[in-house]
Amino acid sequence: MKKRIFCIMLAGTAIMFFYGFGGYGSPGEGPGVTSMAISTAKKSLEIVTVRPSTETMSRQQLPYFVGISEATAGAKGISMNLVVIPPGAAAKPHIHRGYESAIYLLEGRVETRYGPGLRQSIINEAGDFIFIPADVPHQPINLSATEPARAIVARNDPNEQEHVFPYNPKEDL
């Protein structure tokens, strides 16, 4: 448990370091998720705590726990959430148009297929930091048939799902 808390703190610190300085992204309108999370403050000069109360289904068809976003915390250039890939499951192929993603894999082994036609592949395991450039099509796949994979995902987009678009790899073959 101490190792998991340390990893979460480390991931949060790294994400804040990489994205916390410099006004990346642009605010936009996204689906309201306030009912799915409890935040302690809404003023722009106060620290905000978000405790996800329920999971939701992401556009990639994965269980998702909304954390920091424009809707939950008033963020202007970042979102950070917990995503779960169930045993043997995969996200639908997708693209984050115009936005980078930084991921810290908390648990599991995940193969990510990426690029045109999803012809490239990389395998990551718990403890890996992963960077996905803007506009790169990708599809994470949990390699375990028995254990879920869990990851903290941050984007320089304050709307956690607004700029996620389906990707058809057959179109690039």
Side-chain angles (χ1 to χ4, degrees):
M1 184 65 167
K2 288 182 181 180
K3 183 178 179 183
R4 177 184 272 179
I5 292 170
F6 174 75
C7 288
I8 291 170
M9 290 173 57
L10 179 63
T13 302
I15 290 165
M16 293 295 288
F17 176 79
F18 286 120
Y19 287 103
F21 304 103
Y24 295 99
S26 61
E29 294 180 16
V33 293
T34 309
S35 63
M36 294 182 204
I38 301 167
S39 60
T40 60
K42 285 290 187 178
K43 291 185 178 179
S44 63
L45 298 178
E46 292 188 26
I47 291 176
V48 176
T49 298
V50 177
R51 288 189 183 99
S53 56
T54 59
E55 77 179 41
T56 186
M57 191 59 65
S58 70
R59 287 187 181 175
Q60 303 93 314
Q61 296 303 299
L62 295 175
Y64 203 67
F65 294 86
V66 177
I68 304 301
S69 69
E70 184 174 44
T72 62
K76 298 297 179 205
I78 189 170
S79 64
M80 185 169 68
N81 307 288
L82 172 67
V83 67
V84 178
I85 306 175
K92 289 187 175 183
H94 62 282
I95 296 174
H96 301 274
R97 288 207 182 124
Y99 294 95
E100 300 169 328
S101 298
I103 301 164
Y104 181 75
L105 190 54
L106 295 166
E107 297 175 350
R109 289 184 72 238
V110 174
E111 176 186 8
T112 302
R113 296 177 185 160
Y114 66 98
L118 301 178
R119 289 186 291 262
Q120 295 174 273
S121 175
I122 188 166
I123 294 177
N124 294 102
E125 57 189 47
D128 288 351
F129 286 91
I130 306 155
F131 173 72
I132 301 175
D135 305 312
V136 171
H138 57 282
Q139 178 186 33
I141 302 161
N142 185 349
L143 295 176
S144 173
T146 59
E147 300 293 324
R150 290 178 180 31
I152 300 292
V153 179
R155 289 188 200 93
N156 59 331
D157 179 1
N159 299 295
E160 63 282 337
Q161 292 286 298
E162 183 73 11
H163 299 103
V164 176
F165 295 93
Y167 171 74
N168 183 352
K170 292 177 184 176
E171 292 177 2
D172 280 337
L173 294 178

